[in-house]
Amino acid sequence: MRGWLSEERLGGSRLVLVTRGAVAAGVGEGVADVAAATCWGLVRSAQSESPGRLVLVDAEPGGGPVSWASIQSAVGAAVVAGESQVALRGDRVLVPRLAKTGETAASPADSGLWGLGAGGTVLVTGGTGVLGAATARHLVARYGVER
């Protein structure tokens, strides 16, 4: 990938990387291939450094061989729409989006977004600094985190 990105004559083209089961693209779907998920993470980092040059396509996990026609169709749709990541699930082409839940809660803890409750354990990275200590105190006082 690094060699392809550094090749000047390919500057106007896109490299498409196809994985299978690297991302959870729907509710209840897990990551089937952790190694492929690692590849996705690496390529997503490269996408931020080379916008518009890399396209990620994830085929349905556990399915049969990925047909070239379905990949071509997905890539074509992604490129036209300016998408850099798509997942093929059946005959659907899915793209990552944030969506509102439709519920308004008083706090993240009330909505269940944090999954925090009394007696919970939280890891605060960088917790030895001023901001980390303030965050830890807030988690104890507001959410009842004990560890």
Side-chain angles (χ1 to χ4, degrees):
M1 182 175 65
R2 187 171 43 187
W4 186 89
L5 286 170
S6 65
E7 185 65 44
E8 286 184 33
R9 65 186 171 92
L10 300 173
S13 59
R14 291 178 179 87
L15 176 64
V16 178
L17 297 111
V18 180
T19 58
R20 181 185 297 280
V23 295
V27 176
E29 184 179 318
V31 172
D33 188 343
V34 177
T38 304
C39 176
W40 261 67
L42 174 67
V43 175
R44 288 181 68 193
S45 294
Q47 283 177 328
S48 66
E49 296 173 5
S50 303
R53 300 280 319 277
L54 304 168
V55 177
L56 282 164
V57 177
D58 188 61
E60 191 157 6
V66 180
S67 76
W68 177 244
S70 65
I71 293 171
Q72 248 182 330
S73 173
V75 170
V79 169
V80 167
E83 299 292 342
S84 59
Q85 302 167 30
V86 297
L88 303 176
R89 299 297 185 264
D91 60 349
R92 298 176 302 151
V93 177
L94 306 171
V95 295
R97 294 287 184 268
L98 295 176
K100 293 183 180 182
T101 61
E103 291 183 15
T104 304
S107 73
D110 296 336
S111 68
L113 295 175
W114 291 80
L116 299 175
T121 300
V122 175
L123 172 65
V124 178
T125 60
T128 58
V130 174
L131 184 58
T135 300
R137 282 192 298 278
H138 174 73
L139 290 170
V140 169
R142 173 75 183 208
Y143 301 107
V145 172
E146 293 178 356
R147 292 179 301 282

